[in-house]
Amino acid sequence: MEEQIIKEGKYSYIEIGEGTPIIILHGLMGGLSNFQGVRNYFPEAGYKVIVPELPIYDMPLLKTNIKSFVKFVEGFIKFKGLKNVILLGNSLGGHIALLHTKLHPELVKGLVITGSSGLYESAMGDGYPKRGDYEFIKKKAQDVFYDPEVATPEIVDEVFETLNNRMKLVKTLACAKSAIRHNMAKDLPYMDTPTCIIWGEDDTVTPPNVAEEFHTLLPDSDLYWIKKCGHAPMMEHPDEFNTILHDWLKKRSF
């Protein structure tokens, strides 16, 4: 089901359902569609699901960094008049959710990260893709998943288009470098927000030891694994992801 994108001021977002707000933050090469399984499930379970479009390619180059995206999310939450939100982020979105929670713990009652950067990431693997090399980019997109078929032609085409747009490519690299620079290892032990860590056992972008380190460093965290799963569990195994998350939310009385 395709929901209507709402445009208000500088914000574009999807909003469905009523109840405790779950704000979803997509990754660097991701988009609103990556969380379709979550969007379909949680409104029926009594939650309001909100997915803002992050301005990854709209910020001036000097502001294309983690801190600017955190400020954007803070502004969005205040614009919507929300409080006691649950932040759910994948990859770069998880990193943004982590830093936002560190800076504004009063706004966040629960944190969910999956394949998150913030400690380590190798999203570009053994080299940056050459513009115009479709097969190379296709292989990179497939490597994100345990099952390469999840990287549909539509996903590959979208990545290909992004990396062949010079300014988008420059901003993609700026985001990746910002994520690498902004390591949160020293911050995490002081963050006591309840955190659910859901990780693919076969993630090659942020390998399983990264999830273990998040779990060790975050004082109030629970770690869950999904088998035969890569960097985007909510796309590759949406039913299992939703069950794990829903059970955690109920366990935490959220």
Side-chain angles (χ1 to χ4, degrees):
M1 96 192 204
E2 278 303 313
E3 297 86 4
Q4 186 74 31
I5 294 179
I6 301 164
K7 293 185 183 295
E8 290 184 315
K10 65 179 180 180
Y11 302 111
S12 297
Y13 61 98
I14 291 170
E15 181 176 332
I16 324 150
E18 293 298 332
T20 299
I22 300 176
I23 297 179
I24 296 174
L25 304 178
H26 60 78
L28 177 55
M29 304 298 283
L32 304 187
S33 63
N34 290 23
F35 285 87
Q36 189 159 350
V38 175
R39 289 180 358 224
N40 291 345
Y41 180 90
F42 281 93
E44 297 292 325
Y47 295 86
K48 181 197 293 282
V49 175
I50 308 174
V51 195
E53 198 160 23
L54 297 175
I56 288 171
Y57 304 117
D58 299 330
M59 293 277 198
L61 184 56
L62 289 175
K63 291 190 174 180
T64 302
N65 56 51
I66 297 283
K67 288 183 178 178
S68 292
F69 299 140
V70 167
K71 188 174 273 193
F72 175 88
V73 172
E74 179 200 3
F76 178 72
I77 290 173
K78 290 181 176 175
F79 172 78
K80 292 292 295 174
L82 300 171
K83 52 188 177 181
N84 293 325
V85 305
I86 294 157
L87 278 185
L88 162 55
N90 171 241
S91 200
L92 182 76
H95 199 160
I96 295 166
L98 282 159
L99 183 55
H100 183 281
T101 302
K102 177 206 165 190
L103 296 174
H104 308 287
E106 73 285 355
L107 296 175
V108 183
K109 73 172 180 178
L111 179 61
V112 186
I113 56 173
T114 180
S116 177
S117 59
L119 289 175
Y120 167 88
E121 69 92 36
S122 63
M124 294 299 180
D126 52 7
Y128 294 115
K130 300 168 188 170
R131 292 171 68 199
D133 190 340
Y134 188 86
E135 286 306 312
F136 185 89
I137 289 170
K138 179 180 178 182
K139 177 70 167 59
K140 284 292 179 189
Q142 290 175 333
D143 287 349
V144 169
F145 306 101
Y146 176 83
D147 176 6
E149 295 299 313
V150 178
T152 61
E154 290 78 15
I155 288 174
V156 177
D157 288 348
E158 191 172 334
V159 175
F160 182 76
E161 184 277 326
T162 296
L163 296 178
N164 275 275
N165 177 309
R166 184 180 174 281
M167 186 47 70
K168 284 187 176 181
L169 175 60
V170 169
K171 290 185 175 181
T172 297
L173 297 179
C175 287
K177 288 173 183 173
S178 172
I180 292 166
R181 281 197 307 269
H182 206 286
N183 188 287
M184 295 192 65
K186 292 179 180 176
D187 301 320
L188 300 179
Y190 302 99
M191 293 171 54
D192 56 7
T193 302
T195 304
C196 177
I197 305 167
I198 307 176
W199 224 264
E201 285 190 353
D202 302 278
D203 188 343
T204 58
V205 179
T206 45
N209 63 292
V210 178
E212 297 277 11
E213 191 173 351
F214 272 121
H215 184 39
T216 299
L217 292 173
L218 285 161
D220 188 9
S221 63
D222 299 292
L223 173 58
Y224 303 93
W225 298 103
I226 297 183
K227 295 179 183 298
K228 296 184 177 180
C229 182
H231 187 55
M234 70 291 169
M235 293 176 71
E236 204 158 3
H237 294 283
D239 293 341
E240 191 173 351
F241 183 91
N242 290 339
T243 298
I244 290 170
L245 178 52
H246 196 190
D247 287 348
W248 183 80
L249 291 171
K250 286 188 288 189
K251 181 177 94 166
R252 294 293 188 145
S253 301
F254 289 161

